[in-house]
Amino acid sequence: MTPEDIRAAFIEDLTSVAPDIDPDTLEDDAHMQDDLGLDSMDFLNLVSALHKRFGLPIPESDYPELATTAKAVRYLGRALAG
Amino acid sequence: MSIFTMPSLGADMESGKLAEWLVGPGDRLARGDIVAVVETQKGAIEIEIFESGEVVELIAAPGQTLPVGAPLARIRKPGEVEDETPEAAPEPEPAAPVTPPTPESAPSAPRPPSHGASGAPPGARAPGRVPSGALASPAAKARAAEVGLDLSDVPGSGPGGAVLLADVEAHAKASGKPAAKGKPGLDMAEMRRAIAAAMSRAKREIPHYYLSHRIDLQAAQDWLAATNAERSPDRRLLMGALLIRATVRALAKVPELNGRFEGGDYAPSDTINCGMAVAMRGGGLIAPAIMDAREKSLDDIMAAMRDLVARTRTGRLRNSEITQGTVTISSLGENGVDALFGVIYPPQVALVGFGSPRPAPVVHDGSVAARVCVTATLAADHRVSDGRRGATFLAEIDRLLQEPDTL
């Protein structure tokens, strides 16, 4: 999967959890909680969706790696390659 | 024969718009069946029926805005014969005096002629923005306005080419319009008005007292991290579930905090329907209840929270969930402030608040250490309980959270 594919998949899961987020204006450095307003339930739903899609375990200790879209794409890319 | 009426979905509700019938004449109903969808300031609500019987006639048509107590359908009770005179509909509940009725809340007709659920009733008020000349059912018009479709673009399959709800849905899907972006039927200005009415009533009628207690959450936090480390994301728990479970269990020790104060009398409740304040993305909040929370394990509570948050934000709640609450919990989650002092949601008599858990310097085993703490607060009705009982309650929540594996 290319980083572009991962980014598209991540944004699809993010906007399904938070339908009011507009993928066209989403900034890659926007913080999930502080800027996009995800609460702990939204974030858990996002992690669950990514887990289902990619089959990755995504332990809680890795949550900070998903803080922004840019970080998440790098994290998921590494995890999928590893 | 009995008349199924527009239910009151809270003291702040004066009227509701019938969005859709889910049953028709001849259908047999059991208590608890969902029969209709009503749009209120809390969004679209699924309406359950509280008696068994058979639908004889649908009186109200989708799209009509009707006051609380207005007849919606005639129901024949089991064993009844055909020609019985219908009982009079119960008196509509008096509207809350807080807000003047808006034109929208006036009854559109005392008793409109009956017609099929999908027909376009003549003279029914057309909600939303509707292009002139387009023949369409009220539900179709409302949905089209909601998704931003021009009705003249939608091919109709109804009588005389009338556009029906299903046509709008199909067209919206085909044209790539979002089927339901965010929560259907939710009006933020209306929601703010409803919150204002309920909270003004609470502050006017309920003599609140407040207690605050800082709880060491480190044991619960450690247990949660260890538990979640062995679980896939879809089975993980949130701290919020532990806080709700501890609160529900602590109510067994101070049961007078769980109940309803109505008509000048307090009635404690045997069941615990635990309201959970859910913030809407974009502002406002709704506090639907986890029904029979006492009977639910920690995992059950977590599953109920997931379901309720999802349905509050993007789907449909049921009327029992928004009218039968016996206590409410409001939790700020991870990124808030230290403490929350709540306003009781009438007719309940207590609101439990949790601030954001975060590390704080506390004395633990005789020395100062940084441990995750949360501030629990209680806002309670002084007509029903006193500070000493409230203190017992918060101390019990604290005690239970020190033994998370027994929750």
Side-chain angles (χ1 to χ4, degrees), chain B residues 183-195:
Chain B
K183 190 172 172 68
L186 188 65
D187 179 332
M188 282 299 170
E190 274 297 304
M191 175 183 285
R192 180 50 53 193
R193 204 172 71 93
I195 293 171

Side-chain angles (χ1 to χ4, degrees), chain A residues 42-81:
Chain A
D42 295 326
F43 192 78
L44 181 56
N45 286 335
L46 173 61
V47 172
S48 298
L50 295 170
H51 163 75
K52 198 172 164 195
R53 181 191 288 271
F54 293 112
L56 296 168
I58 317 182
E60 280 189 330
S61 51
D62 286 355
Y63 283 4
E65 307 273 358
L66 300 172
T68 67
T69 304
K71 282 177 126 180
V73 171
R74 287 198 295 273
Y75 168 78
L76 293 168
R78 278 199 311 275
L80 288 168

